[in-house]
Amino acid sequence: MNNSYLVPSGYGKAELTEKHSRFIGQVWRVETEHEARIHIEEVAKQYPDIKYHSTCYILRDENILRYNDGGEPQGAAGQPMLNVFVKEKITNVVCVVTRYYGGIPLGGGGLRRAYGSIAKLALDAAGISRMSMWATLTVPCSYSHYEQMRLLIEKSGGIIENTDFGAEVSLTVLIASKNVESLQKAITDFSAGTIEITVAVEQFRPGPP
């Protein structure tokens, strides 16, 4: 399993008009197939009078890639939508495209181009984040060392989420797991080995792509 992967940053929506047909694309980040199906059902309820609702979704942990042409000719909608996310290496994503038919046939090629284009526009609107493993650390230090410790953490790419000023200072730090070792070395060198960090939890979190 890869140490990082790309996902939509959040919700994205875009519109495209092609020969009077109006395409509305929506993208969400999801974790399960159940979540993906909920979004698909919500869109169908949102536009109950529309015939065409094409969908696709990709789920990393469940190793699922699915698409549905939603009333369009076979291969003209869901597949070109899915191809956008596969090409961009995006996972944990669901995309729904609703089409108001404008009365002018687009043909198979025109439909494929339009559905691929609107899926990409919706993804661009959502943005892309990289999910990677981050660790939550507990870092103790004296009051006299607090400012230097804060600078060491920031230099290592860490984020101080909480500071507890008790008998001594206790910092709760969020940092990419790959940087934990270098931070510990910097703290060890600074404190002559008297300060040791504690890893509370490690989990995937979104960050810049």
Side-chain angles (χ1 to χ4, degrees):
M1 187 174 289
N2 294 332
N3 291 328
S4 67
Y5 54 97
L6 299 175
V7 298
S9 296
Y11 169 69
K13 183 177 181 180
E15 294 195 22
L16 173 70
T17 300
E18 189 72 31
K19 292 184 178 179
H20 302 297
S21 282
R22 179 185 172 206
F23 295 81
I24 304 170
Q26 300 183 77
V27 163
W28 295 265
R29 185 169 82 214
V30 293
E31 298 298 327
T32 66
E33 189 168 19
H34 178 67
E35 284 183 61
R37 291 187 179 277
I38 286 176
H39 287 301
I40 291 170
E41 291 170 3
E42 287 176 345
V43 173
K45 292 176 182 177
Q46 185 180 2
Y47 302 100
D49 57 328
I50 302 304
K51 176 182 177 181
Y52 302 108
H53 295 290
S54 303
T55 66
C56 70
Y57 54 89
I58 303 173
L59 295 165
R60 176 177 181 267
D61 290 342
E62 299 176 54
N63 196 28
I64 291 175
L65 291 87
R66 298 200 197 288
Y67 69 88
N68 189 297
D69 292 310
E72 299 285 16
Q74 184 175 359
Q79 183 70 65
M81 289 162 58
L82 184 70
N83 290 346
V84 168
F85 300 100
V86 171
K87 180 181 178 181
E88 299 289 335
K89 299 181 179 178
I90 308 297
T91 189
N92 288 13
V93 58
V94 58
C95 178
V96 182
V97 175
T98 301
R99 177 168 78 115
Y100 287 87
Y101 179 52
I104 301 176
L106 298 180
L111 285 172
R112 285 189 290 272
R113 285 190 296 273
Y115 276 99
S117 295
I118 190 61
K120 180 63 167 64
L121 289 172
L123 174 60
D124 289 345
I128 298 173
S129 293
R130 181 173 294 279
M131 297 290 286
S132 57
M133 192 67 75
W134 285 67
T136 300
L137 315 176
T138 300
V139 182
C141 71
S142 65
Y143 280 84
S144 61
H145 290 160
Y146 166 66
E147 188 61 27
Q148 184 62 31
M149 188 63 68
R150 185 181 66 80
L151 292 173
L152 283 176
I153 291 167
E154 291 178 357
K155 186 176 180 180
S156 296
I159 301 167
I160 298 174
E161 290 196 310
N162 186 58
T163 305
D164 182 17
F165 296 101
E168 64 175 4
V169 181
S170 179
L171 306 172
T172 301
V173 177
L174 181 65
I175 188 170
S177 293
K178 63 182 181 180
N179 294 334
V180 171
E181 187 176 344
S182 62
L183 175 59
Q184 178 63 78
K185 184 179 185 307
I187 291 175
T188 297
D189 292 345
F190 165 70
S191 68
T194 60
I195 297 176
E196 185 171 346
I197 63 178
T198 302
V199 179
V201 66
E202 286 189 284
Q203 59 187 358
F204 279 106
R205 288 177 178 256

